Amino acid sequence: MQRIEHQGFLLLLVAVTLAFGWVLYPFYGAVLWAIVVAVLFAPVYRRLLQSMQGRPSLSAAVTVLIIIAMVILPLTMIAASLAQEASSLFAKIQSGEYDFGSYLQRIFDALPAWATGLLERANLADFSALREKLASGLMKGGQVLAPQALSIGMNTFDFVIRLGIMLYLLFFLLRDGRALAERIRDAIPLRGEQKAALFARFADVVRATVKGGILVAMVQGTLGGIAFWFLGIHAALLWAVLMAFLSLIPAIGATLVWLPVAIYFLATGAIWQGIGLILYGVLVIGLVDNLLRPFLVGKGSKLPDYIVLISTLGGIEVFGLNGFVIGPLIAAMFMVSWEIFAVSRQAPADDAAGNAAP
């Protein structure tokens, strides 16, 4: 009878947990980023708590204000400028002021004969057709995006609501986060060392993904944007954001943006600009990850690059932008869970071997 009651209670526990997750699902992004930001700014909160003689509510409120001033307001201004630049660039492409087909034709004309022969045999040298495809694609994109403009107000309102929920949760996670973590730790049905490993890996991955991933990407994007602005390339902020976005992909990252531009410079006779951009990309932008990531994160918590690549791209595919954090986090939890399982199976085997020894 007691066993049936226990199983019934476990069934109830699973059911209400799934129902609670279903209720929270529309705001899972706000909950996720509240947890991430709370983990990142917990040291700031603890320092404020010490300086304010142990007043947790005031310390949490000041920490939230610091986050708004240092993170949210700058990102909002960058997003507004980015939208303006993207709109201007799109208009110039539609008007024909920017003709990517002619740019490719210039590069093609500057290539050696053997390279142009390869492109012609592969049917990659018909730039007039490429120009038509680009124009057609832009027109279709405009037709798709035009109706979306009607919902900008609603999307903005939805974003403000989610941001408010995130900041509200962030306040309580900063103030009560340690007690909440202890309650979750006590409720998890695992041994103490297993729970410690899970919680440690969770914090490591959050720091590695946000501090060692997003911050490094922001630095690389900023450096690339400065180079593009110095070289007089239009919409430098847009390209900077694109480089920052691609910098989250290991190994190649921002190279996918600055290298084609450098090749275009070289092909069109701007030799010094092309060489300078290549040297800057390799020696400055490319070295940021190797120099800054260990300083921000430390080598011990870094996932293998191939795991980061696959889990990041898969996370984006499934969860959208939030997948930058969710993908690597799931991958890390997967790896540490199997490590715990392997250790737990190895321990009984070692004990059995020790008992069987004469």
Side-chain angles (χ1 to χ4, degrees):
M1 186 66 180
Q2 186 176 4
R3 179 183 178 87
I4 295 176
E5 292 177 352
H6 179 68
Q7 292 177 346
F9 179 74
L10 288 179
L11 182 61
L12 174 64
L13 183 63
V14 171
V16 296
T17 302
L18 292 176
F20 185 63
W22 181 45
V23 170
L24 292 182
Y25 178 75
F27 303 102
Y28 85 93
V31 176
L32 170 70
W33 285 104
I35 296 172
V36 168
V37 176
V39 171
L40 291 176
F41 282 84
V44 176
Y45 166 74
R46 288 193 290 267
R47 290 187 180 182
L48 289 173
L49 187 63
Q50 292 177 354
S51 63
M52 294 180 179
Q53 290 80 38
R55 301 170 67 181
S57 296
L58 180 60
S59 301
V62 173
T63 305
V64 171
L65 291 176
I66 291 173
I67 293 169
I68 292 173
M70 292 181 57
V71 179
I72 295 177
L73 289 180
L75 287 179
T76 302
M77 291 186 289
I78 291 174
S81 301
L82 177 63
Q84 185 177 3
E85 281 201 0
S87 176
S88 174
L89 180 63
F90 183 76
K92 290 185 177 181
I93 292 174
Q94 278 193 318
S95 66
E97 183 176 348
Y98 287 162
D99 188 349
F100 290 103
S102 64
Y103 298 155
L104 293 174
Q105 184 66 54
R106 293 181 189 178
I107 297 176
F108 179 79
D109 294 338
L111 293 175
W114 63 268
T116 57
L118 288 176
L119 291 175
E120 288 174 351
R121 283 193 292 271
N123 295 322
L124 297 176
D126 188 2
F127 295 107
S128 60
L130 177 61
R131 186 184 299 112
E132 293 177 0
K133 290 181 180 179
L134 286 173
S136 175
L138 289 172
M139 290 300 294
K140 291 180 180 178
Q143 292 173 1
V144 172
L145 292 175
Q148 302 299 324
L150 298 176
S151 61
I152 289 178
M154 183 61 69
N155 291 337
T156 303
F157 178 75
D158 183 66
F159 171 77
V160 171
I161 293 296
R162 293 173 189 273
L163 179 61
I165 293 173
M166 190 273 284
L167 294 174
Y168 181 78
L169 289 176
L170 177 61
F171 170 82
F172 290 102
L173 288 175
L174 288 170
R175 192 188 70 177
D176 308 323
R178 185 181 294 274
L180 181 60
E182 290 297 328
R183 293 181 64 180
I184 295 174
R185 188 193 300 268
D186 293 338
I188 295 176
L190 295 173
R191 295 198 302 269
E193 64 273 12
Q194 294 174 339
K195 291 187 283 188
L198 284 174
F199 274 73
R201 182 59 64 91
F202 176 85
D204 285 343
V205 171
V206 169
R207 285 192 292 266
T209 303
V210 180
K211 287 178 61 179
I214 294 179
L215 290 183
V216 169
M218 290 174 63
V219 173
Q220 289 185 316
T222 301
L223 293 173
I226 291 173
F228 277 33
W229 172 80
F230 182 78
L231 293 172
I233 299 172
H234 182 72
L237 178 61
L238 178 63
W239 299 119
V241 173
L242 182 59
M243 278 187 276
F245 184 82
L246 292 174
S247 294
L248 294 166
I249 302 176
I252 45 177
T255 309
L256 294 174
V257 177
W258 63 258
L259 183 58
V261 176
I263 293 174
Y264 174 77
F265 278 137
L266 294 174
T268 54
I271 304 298
W272 290 112
Q273 290 90 330
I275 294 175
L277 184 56
I278 291 175
L279 292 176
Y280 184 84
V282 173
L283 300 178
V284 179
I285 299 176
L287 289 180
V288 165
D289 185 75
N290 296 329
L291 296 177
L292 196 58
R293 191 185 299 272
F295 173 75
L296 290 173
V297 182
K299 297 180 180 179
S301 59
K302 184 181 179 183
L303 291 171
D305 284 344
Y306 61 91
I307 295 293
V308 174
L309 175 61
I310 296 173
S311 61
T312 300
L313 295 178
I316 295 171
E317 179 69 22
V318 177
F319 301 103
L321 186 60
N322 295 323
F324 279 122
V325 175
I326 299 176
L329 183 60
I330 292 175
M333 293 297 101
F334 169 82
M335 295 178 67
V336 73
S337 298
W338 277 99
E339 290 171 6
I340 292 172
F341 178 73
V343 171
S344 64
R345 285 180 58 85
Q346 185 65 33
D350 294 340
D351 293 341
N355 294 331

